[in-house]
Amino acid sequence: MQLFFEQLTNGLAVGGIYALIALGYTMVYGVLKLINFAHGDLFTIGAYLGLTLLVSMGLTSHLGPLAGILVLTIMVMGLVAVIGALLERVAYRPLRTSPRLSAVVSALGASIFFQNAIMLIYGARFRVYPHDILPVTSITLFGVQIPVMRILLFTASIVMMAGLYFFVQRTRTGTAIRAAAIDQGAAKLMGIDVNRVIMYVFLIGPALGGAAGMMVGLYYGQINFTMGWVYGLKAFTAAILGGIGNIPGAMLGGLLLGVIEALGATYISLAWKDAISFLVLILILIFRPTGILGERVADKV
Amino acid sequence: MSNQPLLRLADLTKSFGGVMAVNRVSFDVDSGSIVGLIGPNGAGKTTVFNLITGNYRPDKGEILFDGQSIATMRTHRIVSLGIARTFQTIRLFPNMSALENVLAGCHCRMRSGVIGSMLRLPWQKREERQALETAVAELSFVGLRQQLDQVARNLSYGNQRLLEIARALATRPRFLILDEPAGGMNDYETQVLVDLILQIRDRGITVLLIEHDMNLVMKICDNLVVLEYGILIAQGTPEEIRTDQRVIDAYLGAPDADGDEDF
């Protein structure tokens, strides 16, 4: 039972990361009906930028661990958001009226570009995050040892998701994003600048993805230029699991996938961890292609 | 400048492939009037609407709104100048409540940006409260005050049409374009609609509408414009149009039995 709870908390922490990345996929899909295949690489960029800023600026030694990481997170999110908006400008906007396949090819091209650019800048080896930033302590809750890091990670992802949900549901810009996702033509006639909405989506999604990249670096300690591929696929699975285009769906799908994966790795086989995730993807595509919270995808696609 | 028309179309032309959807159409819409755009299916009426609201770019010709050219302007800019429209096939945001739909219409009159709305600044809250008041007022105006919280797709067909009008009015237009507002409405609902359109005119909003219900058109329009195959074949008061031989041949004499609209 202790093992179960330990893996459950682990799954929730990892699932929070999946959810943050999945939000980027699902928001872009919601507005543009495009799978942004370069999103996983924006996640990787977040991880590397986090490392660079952490090491070069010594934020944590000046400000203390928590405040330092908070500032670091904001900086990484801002930078990756700008890269995301540039990506949209350069790779997707010129193809807005082209067949959707062109945009997909452009997305794959952007992904390859980013991956190679990271490799050329940082090298092909694993890079290691300094592991003395946060105290490696655990607290005991109901007889289960939970690393502080795990709790921080989970809390951070929940806070970001709650912020996003509030933003999308309750603010004027959020309403504009939802309106544009439902019917771009009608949204324009409400005076909504759809190009600007798309830009916001490409700022928010990559910001969350970049934060997730940095969190993976802090949690696992090492990063690699190809890590965005696997995480991207997992998060994409999570987005489908929850219902692509659906924001709460991506959050739920991410957390669920993290838990399924952690428990599957524990009770079935560690080696089959990734296979279990993708089995989930296959099953959901066969039995409920709209995802858990998705509805009527058929008339959206 | 009181003689200047609110909207002027000059030599407007738009073709799709080899089809001349709109061919050198010119007409004026005077401020404060109700103008009907009629003609058989496929005559190019909806294309004219799409040109005015910036969904299409004209191949040739000019569209002047209040003296300003809007032919190449993007849709959301045109809306902020004061033109609003409804659609022939209802295009509400189906999963949002009636109130949220109308609030979306208030969007273009609001100023606060992303940061302001996240921080809940005081003037930003005031703006949101004003938007809410506007939205409720417009819902009451079209008679949907009671349905405020209902999800749009659960409303009756007639009420969805009214909601579209409320949403369009929330953008605070000077000029309202209605694409077959009475389509699919029963006699009672149509009567309510007629009263509503007259009230909209009395608020000082100029109305341009496409409608196949000739009773409605003849009753409320000050002027009519008749299109056939993209060409303007007649314009004038309802009495003039009713007796115009070309219009009778093209349209009135052979009323089509309610069908699909051109696009």
Side-chain angles (χ1 to χ4, degrees), chain B residues 10 52 83 95 120 125 141 155 165 171 173 179 193 196 213 221 238 241 251:
Chain B
I52 297 172
I83 298 183
N95 293 331
R120 322 293 294 164
K125 277 188 183 166
F141 179 71
L155 293 174
I165 293 175
T171 66
D179 198 345
L193 179 74
L196 187 66
D213 183 336
C221 291
I241 296 300
Y251 187 48

Side-chain angles (χ1 to χ4, degrees), chain A:
Chain A
M1 215 50 201
Q2 196 166 338
L3 182 67
F4 174 80
F5 281 112
E6 215 177 283
Q7 284 308 312
L8 185 69
T9 54
N10 183 32
L12 286 174
V14 178
I17 289 170
Y18 289 160
L20 286 180
I21 312 170
L23 284 167
Y25 281 108
T26 226
M27 288 180 75
V28 168
Y29 184 85
V31 174
L32 282 183
K33 308 293 170 280
L34 165 79
I35 304 293
N36 176 14
F37 282 107
H39 189 58
D41 302 289
L42 294 170
F43 158 87
T44 315
I45 291 174
Y48 276 92
L49 282 179
L51 176 64
T52 306
L53 294 172
L54 189 65
V55 173
S56 64
M57 301 184 68
L59 283 169
T60 47
S61 47
H62 291 312
L63 299 167
L66 279 182
I69 285 180
L70 188 69
V71 172
L72 181 71
T73 311
I74 292 167
M75 286 166 72
V76 168
M77 287 176 83
L79 287 171
V80 181
V82 170
I83 296 172
L86 282 175
L87 167 73
E88 190 270 329
R89 205 57 211 255
V90 174
Y92 300 143
R93 189 173 294 187
L95 297 170
R96 191 76 56 74
T97 53
S98 315
R100 204 173 302 162
L101 191 59
S102 315
V104 170
V105 173
S106 184
L108 288 169
S111 169
I112 294 167
F113 169 80
F114 279 135
Q115 222 177 78
N116 284 281
I118 299 164
M119 189 192 71
L120 287 172
I121 295 169
Y122 288 96
R125 295 179 187 205
F126 276 92
R127 300 293 295 261
V128 184
Y129 264 63
H131 33 246
D132 51 352
I133 314 160
L134 285 170
V136 193
T137 52
S138 301
I139 53 169
T140 312
L141 265 181
F142 309 114
V144 185
Q145 290 240 323
I146 306 168
V148 172
M149 189 63 161
R150 206 177 272 178
I151 295 169
L152 281 176
L153 213 60
F154 184 66
T155 315
S157 53
I158 292 293
V159 166
M160 278 189 253
M161 285 190 264
L164 178 75
Y165 190 77
F166 169 81
F167 173 71
V168 168
Q169 291 295 326
R170 303 301 294 277
T171 68
R172 183 174 99 93
T173 312
T175 309
I177 292 174
R178 283 188 295 148
I182 298 167
D183 187 334
Q184 288 199 10
K188 281 181 194 164
L189 284 160
M190 300 301 109
I192 293 168
D193 184 347
V194 171
N195 271 339
R196 177 168 290 194
V197 165
I198 291 167
M199 189 187 80
Y200 286 144
V201 165
F202 272 95
L203 286 170
I204 297 168
L208 296 175
M214 195 203 74
M215 283 157 69
V216 164
L218 286 171
Y219 190 49
Y220 289 114
Q222 52 175 322
I223 57 177
N224 174 268
F225 75 102
T226 57
M227 67 196 262
W229 175 244
V230 175
Y231 275 92
L233 267 182
K234 294 271 179 69
F236 179 58
T237 305
I240 303 257
L241 180 63
I244 193 145
N246 184 318
I247 288 175
M251 301 176 184
L252 178 69
L255 292 174
L256 207 57
L257 189 73
V259 171
I260 291 172
E261 203 183 81
L263 295 180
T266 315
Y267 291 105
I268 301 171
S269 159
L270 183 62
W272 285 73
K273 188 179 132 202
D274 291 349
I276 291 165
S277 302
F278 297 127
L279 186 68
V280 170
L281 175 63
I282 293 168
L283 291 178
I284 202 88
L285 284 175
I286 295 173
F287 293 109
R288 196 171 159 79
T290 57
I292 298 169
L293 298 183
E295 46 180 326
R296 293 190 299 142
V297 172
D299 61 32
K300 272 191 136 184
V301 180

